[in-house]
Amino acid sequence: MTPLPRWADVVLLPLLNVVLAFLVGGLIVLAVGQNPLQAVGIMLYGAFGYGSGFGYTLYYTTDFIFAGLAVSLAYHAGLFNIGPEGQAYVAGLGVILIGLALNGMHWALVFPLMIICGAAFGAVWAFVPGYLQAKRGSHIVITTILFNFIATALMGFLISRVLKPAGVNSDESAPLEAISRVPQLRTFIELFKNSPVNLTFFLAIAALFLVYWLIWRTKFGYAVRALGHNPVAANYAGISNQKMIMIVMAMAGMLAAMVAVNNVGGVQGRLILNFVNGAGFVGIAVAFMGKGHPIGVGLSALLFGILYQGGQELAFQMPGITREMIVTIQALVILFTGAMGDMLRKPLARLLTRTAAPTGAK
């Protein structure tokens, strides 16, 4: 891989990839007879132009931060965690069980317990693939993908056959009372009006700082990075690779579980089918676009929050652009920042080398 200065690798290269994705997306918009600049303006207005839209942007960003961190933490240990979708889904069971057990009690008591119980369920669900990788050599990619399918089937059964109250037509659990739900920010800040963003957003911001501290400022984080860079050397240095794999995967599941706290405990107030709604898979793109760094993950999550909320506004304001085209634009961002993220690396390295050459000659 062609080396780049740290600032160019972390900031400039991802930014150029996003710009390229939007240029290609603009050509698609232009091909259907619409104005690309107007479309971008509508997306930005939908994401930031009014209180409710900004609140929805932060709501999506919250989910993407947690999912992105779940992928990033495992990636630093050399593990490709594809399972945040299933881990968050199963964690919803822990959130709703404790919520219903304490239904009617104040959210200040219920909220921390939702975090703990959701994290426990998510950790257990992620621990099993970690155990299979560490003890049986089963590849983490395969097992986490399969566990996503298992989670979908298991949760579908539990919601529709076990948790569904009698006399309710839709597949969902009993609701939480308003006093037990995680408060939405509109309760404190009138700007957010009817948006679902809630106190879990601040939990997501705290998670960014926590993961940064954990990976780069602790002995445990050093062991994680050593395992990811060279498992043989890590083992020679006295690090138990098997133990680290299982612990890291469990912690990744805990991070993914916070998606359930955001949605089940804060937005829906009940457990419904497919509440994760693809956030776990978006987290993979968020993690790789952010280079696995919490700052990059936060910015990438915000970008995808803008794309999701701005895309809905664009579909409403510009009917000539269909929902499928908006998904295509989102997919282009994932393509150019993920699968083709290093396409511009060599040209950018040459350009920076030529720019620096005259300075070096002096």
Side-chain angles (χ1 to χ4, degrees), residues 65-66 69 202-212 255 294:
I65 286 175
F66 288 130
L69 288 177
F202 297 109
L203 184 63
I205 300 301
L208 291 172
F209 287 98
L210 178 62
V211 171
Y212 173 81
L255 288 167

Side-chain angles (χ1 to χ4, degrees), residues 28-52:
I28 296 175
V29 173
L30 192 63
V32 297
Q34 302 294 329
N35 187 335
L37 296 179
Q38 183 183 2
V40 171
I42 292 174
M43 290 186 70
L44 292 176
Y45 172 76
F48 298 110
Y50 57 99
S52 294

Side-chain angles (χ1 to χ4, degrees), residues 8-338:
D9 194 21
V10 174
V11 178
L12 185 57
L13 182 60
L15 180 61
L16 291 175
N17 287 329
V18 171
V19 171
L20 183 59
F22 273 99
L23 287 175
V24 176
L27 293 177
I28 296 175
V29 173
L30 192 63
V32 297
Q34 302 294 329
N35 187 335
L37 296 179
Q38 183 183 2
V40 171
I42 292 174
M43 290 186 70
L44 292 176
Y45 172 76
F48 298 110
Y50 57 99
S52 294
F54 183 42
Y56 269 96
T57 299
L58 295 183
Y59 158 68
Y60 291 123
T61 301
T62 302
D63 280 348
F64 299 153
I65 286 175
F66 288 130
L69 288 177
V71 177
S72 297
L73 179 60
Y75 183 73
H76 281 290
L79 304 169
F80 196 179
N81 179 21
I82 310 291
E85 187 83 6
Q87 292 153 17
Y89 204 0
V90 172
L93 181 61
V95 173
I96 197 62
L97 288 178
I98 192 64
L100 292 176
L102 302 177
N103 207 5
M105 302 190 72
H106 197 272
W107 65 266
L109 171 65
V110 180
F111 184 28
L113 293 176
M114 284 181 176
I115 295 173
I116 294 171
C117 291
F121 275 67
V124 170
W125 197 253
F127 173 84
V128 179
Y131 174 85
L132 293 175
Q133 165 87 28
K135 298 293 187 178
R136 295 291 181 264
S138 302
H139 201 287
I140 202 73
V141 171
I142 302 300
T143 53
T144 49
I145 289 174
L146 293 176
F147 266 62
N148 285 335
F149 287 101
I150 296 172
T152 300
L154 174 64
M155 294 300 293
F157 172 80
L158 291 175
I159 293 172
S160 60
R161 300 295 181 87
V162 179
L163 296 173
K164 179 179 177 181
V168 176
N169 292 326
S170 57
D171 291 330
E172 59 184 38
S173 72
L176 300 176
E177 295 184 20
I179 194 173
S180 300
R181 299 184 185 184
V182 181
Q184 297 183 352
L185 293 188
R186 63 187 179 187
T187 307
F188 313 102
I189 306 174
E190 187 179 355
L191 169 69
F192 294 115
K193 297 180 181 178
N194 297 320
S195 65
V197 61
N198 55 73
L199 290 181
T200 316
F201 170 72
F202 297 109
L203 184 63
I205 300 301
L208 291 172
F209 287 98
L210 178 62
V211 171
Y212 173 81
W213 172 80
L214 180 70
I215 294 178
W216 280 280
R217 292 292 183 268
T218 66
K219 181 179 178 181
F220 175 81
Y222 177 82
V224 169
R225 288 181 286 124
L227 173 62
H229 283 295
N230 193 326
V232 176
N235 190 56
Y236 184 78
I239 298 171
S240 173
N241 291 354
Q242 294 182 347
K243 181 180 178 181
M244 289 298 299
I245 288 172
M246 292 184 285
I247 292 175
V248 168
M249 283 302 299
M251 294 177 67
M254 294 170 67
L255 288 167
M258 298 304 102
V259 175
V261 177
N262 184 34
N263 287 275
V264 177
V267 180
Q268 305 294 342
R270 56 175 61 87
L271 185 61
I272 64 174
L273 291 174
N274 301 318
F275 71 85
V276 185
N277 198 27
F281 296 120
V282 175
I284 299 172
V286 167
F288 282 94
M289 182 178 175
K291 303 294 184 181
H293 194 285
I295 295 177
V297 168
L299 294 175
S300 301
L302 178 61
L303 173 62
F304 278 93
I306 294 170
L307 290 173
Y308 268 64
Q309 171 56 23
Q312 294 183 21
E313 186 75 20
L314 184 60
F316 179 76
Q317 296 284 351
M318 194 177 283
I321 298 180
T322 64
R323 176 62 186 166
E324 288 73 19
M325 292 180 61
I326 295 170
V327 173
T328 300
I329 295 173
Q330 295 170 352
L332 286 171
V333 174
I334 296 174
L335 176 66
F336 283 105
T337 59

